[in-house]
């Protein structure tokens, strides 16, 4: 029914926006700790609280606004941010045509739609840059420390950067696998009816991160 469909659409947008902004915040945290030399206490005191407030405000505002304009409607098997199109008639003859029967607020729809897409693109770009920055910083520090190594003891000089590279690559890959596919579908203008793979991957990012988190422990066995 309309109520359950609206709730599904609301939770979908809320989850996507919260997930993307939270991933961006985590990447920013890693960047500040490793590259800029902050400790976790300093980060928590100066940035963490405003960052959490910003995440909640951005996610909630983006998800709540469409509620007032009835923009959560069925779309190809799921309830999403989309006006509902139905059959309409003029009541004078048998002529029937398609029209928007719910959520006829095109300006608000496109504004919210572009906010979601822009957030997704920003998260992908920022997280990629942050992870590359961290990797090359650690690599550069290892190269600087190499001069202090005794001859014959530099075989594992880049061991730490290789470990960080693998972990960061997997975390970034999980983000691209979850949200990069939907960006690709937008880029090639794929019909929304064929987005079933992208829709299945979006809520899987938490599971992918779970696998990456436990990967080092699994490799020990």
């Amino acid at each position: 029914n309309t109520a359950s469909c609206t709730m599904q659409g609301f939770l979908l947008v809320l989850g996507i926006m919260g997930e993307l902004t939270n991933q961006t915040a985590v990447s920013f945290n890693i960047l500040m700790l490793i590259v800029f030399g902050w400790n976790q206490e300093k980060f928590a005191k100066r940035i963490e609280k405003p960052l959490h407030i910003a995440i909640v405000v951005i996610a909630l505002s983006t998800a709540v606004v469409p509620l007032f304009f009835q923009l959560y409607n069925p779309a190809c098997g799921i309830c999403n941010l989309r006006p509902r199109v139905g059959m309409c008639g003029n009541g004078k003859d048998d002529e029937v045509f398609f029209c928007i029967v719910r959520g006829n607020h095109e300006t608000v729809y496109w504004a919210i739609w572009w906010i979601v897409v822009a957030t997704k693109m920003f998260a992908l770009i920022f997280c990629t840059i942050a992870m590359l920055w961290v990797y090359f910083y650690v690599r550069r520090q290892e190269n600087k420390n190499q001069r202090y190594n005794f001859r014959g003891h530099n075989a594992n000089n880049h061991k730490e950067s290789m470990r960080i590279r693998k972990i960061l690559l997997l975390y970034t890959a999980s983000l691209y696998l979850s949200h990069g596919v939907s960006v690709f579908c937008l880029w090639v203008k794929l019909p929304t009816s064929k987005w079933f793979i992208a829709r299945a991957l979006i809520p899987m990012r938490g599971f992918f991160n779970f696998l990456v988190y436990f990967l080092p422990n699994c490799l020990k066995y």
Side-chain angles (χ1 to χ4, degrees):
N1 56 33
T2 302
S4 61
C5 182
T6 299
M7 180 58 66
Q8 181 186 359
F10 170 79
L11 293 176
L12 179 64
V13 174
L14 180 67
I16 290 175
M17 294 297 293
E19 176 188 1
L20 290 171
T21 51
N22 183 71
Q23 180 68 27
T24 304
V26 171
S27 297
F28 180 65
N29 176 251
I30 295 173
L31 184 67
M32 296 301 294
L33 294 181
I34 297 180
V35 176
F36 293 95
W38 286 35
N39 56 44
Q40 193 61 49
E41 183 180 357
K42 180 180 179 181
F43 186 88
K45 184 181 296 184
R46 296 190 179 184
I47 298 179
E48 188 171 353
K49 186 176 180 180
L51 207 57
H52 283 302
I53 294 175
I55 291 172
V56 173
V57 170
I58 292 172
L60 269 179
S61 58
T62 308
V64 167
V65 169
L67 291 174
F68 298 99
F69 298 94
Q70 299 181 331
L71 285 172
Y72 292 125
N73 295 293
C76 301
I78 66 170
C79 293
N80 204 345
L81 185 67
R82 180 176 297 273
R84 180 189 294 175
V85 177
M87 304 294 291
C88 301
N90 55 20
K92 297 180 180 179
D93 48 39
D94 295 329
E95 182 181 358
V96 177
F97 55 92
F98 287 101
C99 68
I100 297 177
V101 297
R102 188 172 187 269
N104 189 12
H105 299 277
E106 187 174 358
T107 302
V108 178
Y109 164 70
W110 284 112
I112 299 297
W113 190 87
W114 277 111
I115 288 174
V116 174
V117 172
T119 303
K120 185 171 295 193
M121 293 298 298
F122 177 80
L124 290 171
I125 295 172
F126 179 83
C127 292
T128 302
I129 294 175
M131 296 309 164
L132 287 174
W133 198 344
V134 169
Y135 166 70
F136 284 113
Y137 175 82
V138 175
R139 184 85 174 187
R140 187 166 58 251
Q141 292 299 113
E142 287 177 337
N143 289 333
K144 289 182 179 179
N145 295 334
Q146 187 175 7
R147 69 186 68 175
Y148 301 109
N149 290 342
F150 292 103
R151 183 177 300 177
H153 291 271
N154 58 351
N156 293 326
N157 184 60
H158 297 299
K159 183 178 180 180
E160 182 65 14
S161 64
M162 292 175 65
R163 184 186 69 83
I164 291 178
R165 179 181 62 186
K166 180 175 67 175
I167 296 299
L168 296 182
L169 180 63
L170 290 173
Y171 273 119
T172 307
S174 70
L175 180 63
Y176 272 90
L177 188 60
S178 298
H179 293 281
V181 176
S182 61
V183 172
F184 175 77
C185 292
L186 284 174
W187 183 264
V188 300
K189 299 180 180 180
L190 195 69
T192 54
S193 59
K194 298 181 180 180
W195 281 42
F196 53 91
I197 296 179
R199 289 168 177 162
L201 288 174
I202 288 175
M204 293 291 290
R205 196 186 68 82
F207 177 71
F208 294 149
N209 284 350
F210 166 81
L211 295 179
V212 175
Y213 181 80
F214 284 101
L215 177 63
N217 294 328
C218 295
L219 292 178
K220 292 180 181 179
Y221 300 98

